[in-house]
Amino acid sequence: PRGVRSPHRHGATFTGPFRTTDGFVMVYVTNQAFWNRFVEVMTAEGTPEDLAFRERYLNMRTVAGQDRDDFMAKVTEWIGARRKVEVMEQCEGARIPVTAYLTVSEVLAHPHFRDRGAFTALEHPEVGVLEYAATPWQMAGGGFTLRRPAPLLDEHGEEIRAEGWSDDPAGFDTSPSGSAQPTRPVRWLSAMPDASQSKPPADDDASASTPGPLTGVRVVDLTVVWSGPGGTTLLGDLGAEVIRPEGNNRMSRQVSAATSKESIAATGYHGGTYPDKDPGERPYDRTALFNWHARNKLSACMNLETPEGREAFLKLVAVSDVLVENNSNGVLEKLGIGNDELLRANPALIIARMPPMGASGPMSTFLGYGPNFNSLVGIAAMDGYAGDDAGSAGENYHMDEAAPAGVAFAVLAALRHRARTGQGQVIEFAQAENVMAELGEFFLDSQLNHRDPPILGNRDPHSFQDVLPTAEDDVWLALTITDDERFERLAELVGDEELRELGSTAGLRRRNHDRLVERLTGWSRSRPVTDLVDDLQRIGVAAGEVMSETRLLADEHLAERGFFVQKHHRHVGTHRYPGHQWRVDGFDLASGRVTCGFGEDNDYVYRTLLGYSPEELADLAERGLVTDRQLA
């Protein structure tokens, strides 16, 4: 996706930042329903011009050429005449994903976060009372307490040095007497329901591996898009049996069964997310948007909008340990499988719910995607090219990147709590607040210095940092200089006396940043990136190639480490897939089945796990309630 500012600008869709009178809003119109609602909101005043515009664009499915130019001009004009919160409130009131770019200071003062207790006050001996981002999730027995402020330099040194080291090699003894035993790891498997049934066979010979630490844990996966599925992928990598109940009446994989080569031809970037750009007969099985997070998962067809589907689902919940879902607030309740029903079916169940803005608060019912909620927590407002505004950055998906590891860790914490107490519970994992936990320094800076973070682009507030072109077309070098000594080495390598004079101190490097980049560009453009990286690394300067996706696939370092693993699936073909984020001795991560075909595990789930007879399963199949194909 080189140079793709927004992948959603085809057909009746448009997304991205739009300027208002006081900032920006993130618009995410990705389907016909949102399109029609937006047309209606823009023409609500009912002037003759509005009525003509509505008649022209309402229900329009293919928008291109002059039609799109005229439409986008109207959108830009309509949004540009209003304040960001006004636009957000009008659109969210009509159930359209449009959110304001809130600055860090606006987030600190916003009633939604104040009502939810997203910040907690603590006194520090040097800076006084400040508010810090609180827990990224809430759970019974979570034990979150902001116990003490950041320590002063060596504040506890004397105390720690006096305690000494324990003779026990298992760990550090913190008791004054030296008699306390180090904490032992919790073993939760003994507290788990019986999950001894074997998995169905994998699609390749890489399935045999040492059991992981979550072997025996069964996870019901009701997640969509990226953030939730990414979390359940990590649990599956650790050995959990992850089962996706998928309705054949829904596009649970965000792809229609009717998708064809012809229909994706006009979608630009998205057309390349199928092997060989061919959706095939089962596009829902072949899309990369799903397959990257589908490894080590099972799929069973369950239509939760039918009594039969809900019955099977609750039976599955009864023999499982964890349920993870990241749908909009209220979706499970509408289906009759809210918290009460789930815990009634299995009191020991751990329910991890991922409402983007939390389960309560003024913005908890907002509709949106990752870029919408990033805009509401301050991160989008600081994103953009240096010297430009936040509208220059396109769409920011960081919430989808940050959530998987966070929710997987929350589930591990709840499993640990259940092993000690036997209690199931509900985890409220507010994805936006999980992102806020990563912005701590900006919240403190706003309180201390009464400012919002500037837009720095590739720059850094402390070090000299940027990207430089190389002799190869669209291949870039990333470079960071952290101190005077390393800059001196760089100047000597380049052989440029004026460069040395312009950047010999940190203050000069900040003041002369653009001139330094200009001179370094003259040097970098004449050499291939590998030579530049080798020379800079040799003199101790942090540097690396800005990797594209195709370049990563060809990278010798990753190849030597075996990061990409070649896998085969009968509906997808043979391709390389990325591995797990880390490694550990004793068991294999990201092994086994590469992806789950739709309904591939119906027989295993219904008959082996839930005890359905062959006749009962055949009846469900005959009535079209259980299929191995998506119908929507």
Side-chain angles (χ1 to χ4, degrees):
R2 307 293 286 147
V4 175
R5 185 167 176 267
S6 168
H8 299 287
R9 294 203 176 185
H10 58 270
T13 70
F14 64 102
T15 61
F18 286 81
R19 184 184 295 278
T20 66
T21 59
D22 60 344
F24 289 87
V25 291
M26 173 56 67
V27 177
Y28 229 72
V29 172
T30 58
N31 59 47
Q32 192 71 48
F34 293 157
W35 174 277
N36 285 344
R37 292 170 195 170
F38 202 95
V39 170
E40 290 171 348
V41 166
M42 284 196 301
T43 58
E45 294 180 7
T47 66
E49 181 185 345
D50 287 340
L51 295 177
F53 185 87
R54 182 183 299 193
E55 183 177 357
R56 179 180 176 186
Y57 286 103
L58 199 65
N59 294 315
M60 183 178 281
R61 296 182 177 277
T62 301
V63 190
Q66 192 62 48
D67 282 338
R68 178 166 285 273
D69 291 344
D70 292 348
F71 181 84
M72 297 310 298
K74 172 73 172 178
V75 171
T76 302
E77 177 189 7
W78 186 83
I79 293 177
R82 290 161 173 79
R83 295 174 66 83
K84 60 186 181 183
V85 173
E86 176 191 357
V87 175
M88 175 174 70
E89 290 176 348
Q90 282 188 256
C91 291
E92 286 288 344
R95 303 301 287 160
I96 309 167
V98 177
T99 48
Y101 276 49
L102 300 181
T103 63
V104 164
S105 58
E106 289 172 331
V107 173
L108 271 165
H110 200 281
H112 176 83
F113 300 110
R114 310 310 304 180
D115 290 354
R116 287 186 50 77
F119 296 97
T120 184
L122 188 69
E123 184 172 5
H124 188 279
E126 291 294 328
V127 298
V129 178
L130 293 173
E131 290 192 303
Y132 296 76
T135 175
W137 73 81
Q138 299 177 28
M139 58 176 276
F144 173 80
T145 306
L146 194 52
R147 296 185 297 274
R148 61 178 60 157
L152 302 176
L153 183 63
D154 201 40
E155 179 180 353
H156 307 98
E158 184 176 345
E159 174 188 354
I160 292 172
R161 287 187 288 271
E163 289 173 352
W165 289 89
S166 166
D167 291 333
D168 187 336
F172 183 74
D173 188 344
T174 59
S175 66
S177 64
S179 60
Q181 293 296 310
T183 301
R184 301 298 182 185
V186 171
R187 295 294 183 189
W188 54 56
L189 295 187
S190 60
M192 294 297 167
D194 178 30
S196 59
Q197 298 97 331
S198 62
K199 288 185 182 181
D203 290 324
D204 55 55
D205 58 5
S207 59
S209 62
T210 305
L214 290 187
T215 298
V217 175
R218 182 173 295 127
V219 177
V220 179
D221 183 347
L222 278 185
T223 62
V224 294
V225 194
W226 294 342
S227 61
T232 53
T233 295
L234 300 181
L235 299 175
D237 287 353
L238 294 174
E241 181 182 76
V242 180
I243 301 175
R244 287 183 57 87
E246 300 185 285
N248 55 17
N249 64 324
R250 294 279 182 177
M251 292 189 292
S252 65
R253 304 181 180 195
Q254 287 75 56
V255 171
S256 167
T259 302
S260 65
K261 257 188 172 182
E262 292 72 25
S263 67
I264 67 169
T267 63
Y269 163 62
H270 275 303
T273 61
Y274 297 93
D276 305 315
K277 297 186 179 181
D278 183 3
E281 294 182 2
R282 298 173 65 98
Y284 41 84
D285 281 345
R286 289 173 59 81
T287 170
L289 297 176
F290 175 80
N291 286 349
W292 78 262
H293 59 64
R295 65 178 183 241
N296 294 323
K297 296 183 181 182
L298 285 65
S299 169
C301 179
M302 290 181 188
N303 184 341
L304 301 183
E305 296 177 38
T306 66
E308 296 87 348
R310 282 194 297 276
E311 180 184 2
F313 176 78
L314 290 173
K315 286 182 177 180
L316 177 60
V317 164
V319 296
S320 299
D321 303 289
V322 179
L323 181 144
V324 183
E325 69 93 15
N326 68 328
N327 299 275
S328 299
N329 275 335
V331 167
L332 296 195
E333 285 71 19
K334 290 178 183 177
L335 292 170
I337 50 173
N339 296 343
D340 292 343
E341 290 83 3
L342 293 170
L343 291 173
R344 194 178 301 123
N346 183 353
L349 184 69
I350 293 164
I351 307 170
R353 306 194 68 168
M354 303 174 67
M357 298 298 289
S360 62
M363 294 194 290
S364 61
T365 60
F366 276 19
L367 197 64
Y369 299 84
N372 291 112
F373 300 115
N374 280 331
S375 76
L376 292 175
V377 298
I379 189 171
M382 66 178 78
D383 192 15
Y385 287 96
D388 210 328
D389 55 41
S392 66
E395 299 166 19
N396 184 314
Y397 290 89
H398 184 62
M399 191 178 84
D400 290 282
E401 302 160 358
V407 74
F409 189 82
V411 168
L412 295 181
L415 285 168
R416 187 172 191 264
H417 177 72
R418 190 179 75 170
R420 289 177 164 179
T421 66
Q423 298 172 350
Q425 64 167 297
V426 179
I427 302 167
E428 183 189 340
F429 187 92
Q431 296 184 60
E433 289 166 24
N434 180 61
V435 174
M436 287 164 58
E438 301 183 0
L439 307 179
E441 69 268 34
F442 301 109
F443 291 125
L444 300 185
D445 184 43
S446 177
Q447 295 171 76
L448 285 168
N449 300 307
H450 309 290
R451 64 186 180 189
D452 289 314
I455 294 176
L456 298 177
N458 294 319
R459 303 186 186 190
D460 182 88
H462 309 293
S463 302
F464 173 79
Q465 176 176 280
D466 217 315
V467 297
L468 306 172
T470 69
E472 300 152 274
D473 183 44
D474 200 27
V475 176
W476 296 76
L477 171 79
L479 174 98
T480 302
I481 300 291
T482 56
D483 54 45
D484 296 346
E485 180 183 352
R486 284 176 174 79
F487 188 83
E488 173 63 28
R489 296 178 198 167
L490 173 66
E492 184 174 347
L493 175 67
V494 176
D496 186 333
E497 187 59 36
E498 185 174 346
L499 182 75
R500 177 182 283 108
E501 294 174 0
L502 287 170
S504 58
T505 68
L508 285 172
R509 290 192 289 275
R510 280 193 295 272
R511 194 156 55 244
N512 298 324
H513 183 101
D514 290 341
R515 294 175 64 189
L516 290 170
V517 169
E518 183 180 352
R519 298 200 70 81
L520 286 169
T521 295
W523 167 71
S524 65
R525 276 192 186 279
S526 64
R527 309 187 63 200
V529 69
T530 52
D531 290 355
L532 292 167
V533 172
D534 289 346
D535 286 347
L536 290 166
Q537 288 287 345
R538 178 174 47 79
I539 63 172
V541 171
E545 179 181 346
V546 180
M547 293 286 202
S548 66
E549 289 78 4
T550 50
R551 177 66 182 83
L552 285 169
L553 285 164
D555 185 60
E556 293 179 358
H557 174 78
L558 293 176
E560 185 174 318
R561 290 180 52 77
F563 178 73
F564 290 106
V565 181
Q566 186 160 294
K567 298 274 190 173
H568 176 78
H569 189 275
R570 61 182 178 276
H571 298 311
V572 184
T574 301
H575 300 277
R576 281 181 291 166
Y577 290 78
H580 192 79
Q581 291 91 318
W582 44 267
R583 301 179 182 192
V584 63
D585 290 339
F587 62 93
D588 189 14
L589 292 155
S591 66
R593 176 185 298 181
V594 61
T595 185
C596 51
F598 185 91
E600 186 173 1
D601 306 293
N602 289 336
D603 193 71
Y604 166 72
V605 171
Y606 278 92
R607 295 189 57 190
T608 304
L609 296 187
L610 306 185
Y612 281 61
S613 68
E615 294 75 19
E616 289 173 316
L617 183 56
D619 175 64
L620 293 173
E622 185 176 345
R623 290 190 284 152
L625 296 175
V626 175
T627 66
D628 63 358
R629 286 179 173 271
Q630 176 184 298
L631 306 180

